[in-house]
Amino acid sequence: RTHARAALAVSRGAPSSWMSRDVSPSSSSSGSGSEDPSTSETVSVDASAPDHETPHEIGTENQQPVSLVVFDFDQTILRIHSWGERIAPGDVASRDLETDVADLDFFKRFVLKLVNRNIKVAIASFGQYEVIQKYMDRIFRDDDGDGQIFSRHNITTPSQHGTDDGRCVVGGKVPMLDYLVEKMLGGIRGESNQGRWRRCTARVAFADDDERNILGARKAGYGNSALVDPKKGFTETEWHEGLGKALGMGEFMSCETGDQGE
């Protein structure tokens, strides 16, 4: 498949650098991290926007600690594309998690550490809610304590945004991120709340395999938005090669038993 991420790749022979896999307006015009066309979307970029606030620059001076981590699902948490493969909720029980999840052990350790540090976690996906929920229930079957780590409270899909699951949402992932910020961080949009809203969006880390979703999120003020390689997904190797830093959480997993920044 043709993929705009080729324009973002590090040249052969150069050291692998996660931060070099950045997005730019020119890269948003072709390709998608999702193979199924119903899960891709077009983000319009206002050409009249001030040049001093480019997608590369938004959030580069963000010093706010992360309070909410949002994952895409297909080709981010999973290495496969569950919607593209038409996996039904009833199929999940018999799926091999080690095969389907990009890095099962690391994802579990990461999420459980977020919960332990009182950092909120969520999923924003164009896929099917029931399938996502079944996967999360299996992954965290013995780790949910007093309740589910993932539920309808922190899994948002298109059926909450005016269309059917498996279809793109108008505005891409931005309306889904805004919804989660309002619901989980108490953000309030409006002219009189712009400062508070910006502080809330600055505290969100967002990982997605589609550069158009990342471009749109950064333009909307989600500076800690990082592109995940759809061929690899969210893995420990990718984290230590720069993904953690791109999400504004570079030291978070450096000490498995310590607090962020230890």
Side-chain angles (χ1 to χ4, degrees), residues 155-209:
I155 300 174
T156 186
T157 59
S159 57
Q160 293 179 315
H161 301 276
T163 188
D164 296 329
D165 284 355
R167 304 182 67 87
C168 66
V169 173
V170 175
K173 291 292 177 74
V174 173
M176 306 176 96
L177 292 172
D178 289 350
Y179 169 83
L180 291 169
V181 167
E182 290 179 335
K183 189 172 185 178
M184 302 183 73
L185 296 184
I188 302 173
R189 284 175 291 181
E191 290 294 326
S192 61
N193 296 294
Q194 289 185 6
R196 179 179 177 182
W197 181 257
R198 285 194 298 269
R199 287 191 295 273
C200 285
T201 60
R203 297 172 76 96
V204 176
F206 171 50
D208 194 289
D209 70 291

Side-chain angles (χ1 to χ4, degrees), residues 118-228:
N118 294 316
I119 299 173
K120 294 175 171 55
V121 61
I123 293 171
S125 171
F126 293 149
Q128 184 180 3
Y129 163 69
E130 291 81 5
V131 170
I132 299 170
Q133 186 67 70
K134 291 291 187 182
Y135 269 105
M136 293 301 104
D137 287 348
R138 280 197 66 197
I139 291 170
F140 297 102
R141 179 176 296 164
D142 301 320
D143 301 296
D144 55 5
D146 295 330
Q148 291 175 305
I149 292 174
F150 289 96
S151 67
R152 201 38 161 163
H153 174 73
N154 58 347
I155 300 174
T156 186
T157 59
S159 57
Q160 293 179 315
H161 301 276
T163 188
D164 296 329
D165 284 355
R167 304 182 67 87
C168 66
V169 173
V170 175
K173 291 292 177 74
V174 173
M176 306 176 96
L177 292 172
D178 289 350
Y179 169 83
L180 291 169
V181 167
E182 290 179 335
K183 189 172 185 178
M184 302 183 73
L185 296 184
I188 302 173
R189 284 175 291 181
E191 290 294 326
S192 61
N193 296 294
Q194 289 185 6
R196 179 179 177 182
W197 181 257
R198 285 194 298 269
R199 287 191 295 273
C200 285
T201 60
R203 297 172 76 96
V204 176
F206 171 50
D208 194 289
D209 70 291
D210 191 321
E211 64 267 26
R212 291 174 296 182
N213 292 335
I214 299 301
L215 176 63
R218 289 185 178 179
K219 291 293 287 184
Y222 293 94
N224 290 325
S225 296
L227 190 63
V228 174

Side-chain angles (χ1 to χ4, degrees), residues 8 21-25 27 55-56 211-212 214-215 218 227:
L8 312 173
R21 289 207 299 272
D22 209 340
V23 295
S24 63
S27 74
H56 292 285
E211 64 267 26
R212 291 174 296 182
I214 299 301
L215 176 63
R218 289 185 178 179
L227 190 63

Side-chain angles (χ1 to χ4, degrees), residues 17-19 21 71 76 106 205-208 224-229 233-250:
S17 171
W18 210 97
M19 290 297 287
R21 289 207 299 272
F71 290 96
T76 299
F106 181 66
F206 171 50
D208 194 289
N224 290 325
S225 296
L227 190 63
V228 174
D229 187 336
F234 182 78
T235 68
E236 186 166 16
T237 298
E238 290 288 282
W239 177 272
H240 291 299
E241 288 184 353
L243 175 57
K245 183 177 179 181
L247 290 170
M249 303 177 72

